[in-house]
Structure formats: structure tokens, C-alpha cells
Amino acid sequence: MSEAMIPADLPLRNDLIGEVPYGAPQLDVPVCLNVNENPYPPDHAVVRSIVEHVKQVAPTLNRYPDREHIELREAFVRYLKEESGAQLTVEQVWGANGSNEIMLQLFQAFGGPGRAALGCDPAYSMYPEYARDTFTSWYTTHRKPDFTLDVDHTIDDIDAIQPAMVVLTSPNNPTGTELPMTDLKRILEHCQSAQVAGAHDGVHPIVVVDEAYIEFRNPGTPSATTLINDYDNLAVSRTMSKAFAFAGARVGYLAASEGIVDCLRIVRMPYHLSAVTQAVALAAFDHRKEQLSQVDHLREIREQTAAWLKEQTYKGQPLEVAPSQSNFLLFGGHFDDRGAIFDQMLQRGVLIRVVGPEGWLRVCMGTDEEMRRFREALVESMRAVENA
Ligand SMILES: Cc1ncc(COP(=O)(O)O)c(C=O)c1O
């Protein structure tokens, strides 16, 4: 598909003129390590269960689906209790087509003209797009050189910018950095009395924690979902796309106070979550053990790959690796032409991602064989660029 061919006589919004569709390249290459998916497909039992669930809803497809998707929300509640120890009710969870849609709904409900949202740099590249699409002003606060959050600076920025939403990511994409609970609590507590530009007095910002990769965290690390009953201003976005190995089904979900969920119910499209989506997500939750069975292994691969990367050199200097609690690693730190290394890797059939600060590249953890090919291609690619 070409990028975007917009005829000049179409009344595209002025602020969208010159914009291009967002998305990592979808290339047909042997080793795809660029979009942080789980490389292991659903096993036969899960596939059979998915087919069975779809068979059951197929005869009812003349009717609209349950727009409150109650059965699925019950599954989110059970899963969050099991996975994170969070004690939530159906009213405190909400589903959508990927966490992309959850995030967009948050921006639709809390952003808008005259409103601002504050994120951190670097972070997931879609945040500024949700802001653009909802006419929300987007600001970023810097991270420390080790990519951890600079909490004092973030709090100063909250006071200066008066955002309606503070968007934090844990583990962060593209760095893999965890947000410690003590830092999150400081921000939540500060936001309980902070001002929101463009809102009435007494209105305070919400804090969104994007936990798309949370299942890959180190054992013992808590999830922000465990704070929801203590902080009405906290919204935690989750997804089945990553650890859960279900990116193709497009299911994301939110855990938050009932009030925040009710705000999302105002902006959602009617029947936004199809009966087929709800059915396949329920099938996947029935088989959550199988779906999550490779997470420990992927965590081990991450640690092995990080150790291996640190032993490699580029132009005489060892590679840097950002400590990651996710299924990807940001590495390099001093690539003077990261695009050239990316191209060399691609020529060898390995697709990684040019993202994050200059000098760094990101690789997602694949199968053992994919990682072997990644290592081989990276060594060859760095030598090719050094000798060019
Ligand atoms: C930090 C983060 N949040 C959200 C998403 C969106 O995931 P999905 O819409 O598939 O749930 C991604 C995807 O890469 C991500 O990296």
C-alpha cells in the first residue's frame, strides 16, 4: 500500500494536511522483530476453542452484540485478580478494540480543544496521534539519562501545563523501563489537587498508566491496577496483544474507577466491540495458561539477549542496553547511522525498529531460532556499516 495519496480538492482537515498514516512497516521478511508481538501462535486446543466460540455466536450475528460486553468484563476482572492481585468489579473495567482504542476513548473523554495531555519522552509514538485526532495539546516531560521518570520535573510540568491527563507507560515503550509504585503514587497524589486548564475549579487531572507489556515485568513487581481502589484519578490501560499472544484479535481493556469507566461509555461508538471479538477473547481467557505459557521463556531470552548485546562492540565501544521489563530491548546508544544498521539487518531478512532517541534501535524478543538469526545479522550488519 502506498503511504497516502490525498487529492488536493478533498476537504481534509487543515491540521491533517501532510500527515501520513501511522504504522511500523509490515514487510514480508523471515524474521519480524519490530512490533513487540508474542512470536508464539495459539496452540491447537486454543484454535479449536476459538472456532467453537465463533460457531456459537455466528447464528446470532443478525443482532447487535452486548454493548456493555458484560461477560468479557467479568473475564477481565478474573484475569486481573489472578495476574496482579487487583480486586475490581465489572463496573471498574472496560474493553475496546485494542488498547489503542482504549487510549483514544480516554483522549476523547478527557482531552479536546483547550485541554492538554502530558506524556514522557521517549514513549509510545501513538500518544501524540491520539492528541492530534482529539484536538488535545500534547506535551512531553523529559526522562532521566537512564530513561527513568524524573518525578520532580514531571510534577513541575503538571503545575505549569495543567493537563487533563498525565500519560505514563510501564514498562515504557521503547525503553522497557518500569515505573516504580512510589513514583506513581507521588504523581497520583499531586494530581489529586492539581489544576486542569480549560476545566472548572475543583477538576483535577487523571493519571493514565499504559501497561501494555506488564506481564513481562520481573516477578514481584506490582501492577498499577492494585492501586485503583485507592486512587479515583487512576486509569490503567492493558492489552491482549502482547504477552497474551492475541494481537490479531484486537482486544484491549481498561481498569479504573467506575467514574472514569462511565466517562468512556459516553464517547464509545455504539456496539464498538463485535460479538465475534467478544467471543474469541472469551475463548482466549479460557485458555490463558496456554496463551501466556511462553512469557517466562521470553523473559529469559530478554535477559540472555541483553547480556549478549553488552558483549558486542560498535566502532570499538560496547553496546549499551536499556534495562527492560518488557519483551523488547533498546540497544546501541552510539549508533552514528542507525538507519544503515537497520537496512543491513533488513537485507539479511531481520526486521527491527528505528525508534527512540538517536543512536538506539529496538528489537523485540522472538523464538530461539529468530534470536539466533538476529544475533548473526546484527554482528554482520555492524561490521558492514563500520567497513563502509
Ligand atoms: C505502549 C503501547 N501501548 C499500546 C499499544 C497498542 O496496542 P494494542 O492496540 O494492540 O492493544 C502498543 C503497541 O505497540 C504499545 O507499545
Side-chain angles (χ1 to χ4, degrees):
M1 279 285 279
S2 64
E3 284 266 287
M5 299 285 292
I6 316 280
D9 59 350
L10 282 182
L12 180 67
R13 265 167 40 188
N14 289 349
D15 63 307
L16 295 181
I17 292 171
E19 296 280 302
V20 293
Y22 171 85
Q26 286 195 302
L27 304 178
D28 188 14
V29 290
V31 183
C32 278
L33 303 174
N34 68 332
V35 285
N36 302 341
E37 297 154 325
N38 185 326
Y40 296 97
D43 74 16
H44 294 309
V46 186
V47 171
R48 272 199 304 276
S49 171
I50 290 170
V51 171
E52 209 35 61
H53 277 69
V54 173
K55 239 187 194 167
Q56 275 170 27
V57 294
T60 71
L61 288 178
N62 57 316
R63 300 288 180 194
Y64 284 114
D66 172 11
R67 71 178 158 233
E68 293 292 335
H69 52 284
I70 297 295
E71 229 187 311
L72 185 54
R73 285 162 80 183
E74 286 166 355
F76 296 146
V77 168
R78 280 194 300 275
Y79 176 66
L80 286 170
K81 180 157 188 275
E82 206 174 277
E83 196 273 333
S84 299
Q87 302 268 7
L88 302 171
T89 63
V90 166
E91 291 76 21
Q92 291 173 302
V93 294
W94 177 251
N97 295 282
S99 56
N100 273 152
E101 189 178 38
I102 292 285
M103 293 295 296
L104 183 63
Q105 290 178 347
L106 285 164
F107 274 77
Q108 286 173 322
F110 300 105
R115 293 288 178 92
L118 176 69
C120 306
D121 192 31
Y124 181 40
S125 0
M126 273 303 290
Y127 300 150
E129 305 231 352
Y130 309 133
R132 179 200 68 191
D133 293 349
T134 56
F135 303 96
T136 310
S137 303
W138 176 248
Y139 296 88
T140 53
T141 188
H142 68 243
R143 286 175 174 271
K144 292 182 186 166
D146 65 358
F147 300 127
T148 56
L149 190 67
D150 185 336
V151 182
D152 290 329
H153 197 267
T154 305
I155 286 176
D156 287 347
D157 279 350
I158 292 170
D159 290 340
I161 294 161
Q162 302 189 338
M165 301 164 65
V166 178
V167 181
L168 306 171
T169 320
S170 187
N172 185 42
N173 178 10
T175 59
T177 319
E178 172 224 351
L179 173 67
M181 285 291 126
T182 43
D183 290 354
L184 173 59
K185 283 185 188 171
R186 273 189 68 199
I187 291 172
L188 283 164
E189 274 152 32
H190 188 78
C191 285
Q192 283 172 334
S193 57
Q195 303 288 310
V196 173
H200 301 296
D201 280 352
V203 169
H204 306 296
I206 64 159
V207 179
V208 177
V209 181
D210 182 347
E211 287 195 341
Y213 300 95
I214 193 73
E215 287 98 338
F216 293 109
R217 69 195 181 281
N218 294 335
T221 308
S223 152
T225 53
T226 55
L227 297 180
I228 280 165
N229 289 318
D230 300 328
Y231 295 94
D232 281 352
N233 57 343
L234 170 64
V236 183
S237 170
R238 291 261 191 140
T239 183
M240 294 178 79
S241 296
K242 307 296 180 180
F244 222 99
F246 220 46
R250 309 305 302 128
V251 184
Y253 52 103
L254 176 89
S257 61
E258 195 176 337
I260 292 179
V261 171
D262 281 345
C263 293
L264 263 56
R265 290 172 66 229
I266 294 174
V267 297
R268 58 110 180 93
M269 287 291 131
Y271 316 110
H272 67 294
L273 213 48
S274 86
V276 174
T277 304
Q278 295 184 41
V280 299
L282 284 167
F285 273 123
D286 281 352
H287 291 268
R288 57 198 174 283
K289 279 214 170 67
E290 294 94 312
Q291 288 298 97
L292 293 163
S293 61
Q294 299 292 343
V295 169
D296 289 346
H297 181 59
L298 289 165
R299 213 185 278 117
E300 276 166 31
I301 301 261
R302 174 189 78 207
E303 294 306 308
Q304 285 163 14
T305 307
W308 178 84
L309 282 165
K310 285 181 199 162
E311 288 165 3
Q312 310 310 305
T313 56
Y314 176 73
K315 300 211 169 159
Q317 260 185 285
L319 298 185
E320 287 178 65
V321 184
S324 171
Q325 294 222 14
S326 193
N327 65 333
F328 51 80
L329 289 165
L330 192 71
F331 68 96
H334 59 278
F335 289 136
D336 45 6
D337 187 352
R338 60 177 173 172
I341 294 184
F342 170 87
D343 289 341
Q344 287 288 337
M345 299 281 293
L346 192 55
Q347 281 173 32
R348 290 166 176 79
V350 180
L351 181 60
I352 57 170
R353 191 83 185 262
V354 178
V355 68
E358 270 305 321
W360 296 82
L361 288 165
R362 192 191 71 194
V363 61
C364 161
M365 298 306 106
T367 62
D368 294 347
E369 173 57 13
E370 286 172 333
M371 295 317 288
R372 187 194 64 72
R373 292 187 66 170
F374 161 75
R375 291 192 295 272
E376 194 177 276
L378 181 64
V379 171
E380 287 176 16
S381 299
M382 289 194 298
R383 297 302 82 90
V385 175
E386 283 171 337
N387 298 328

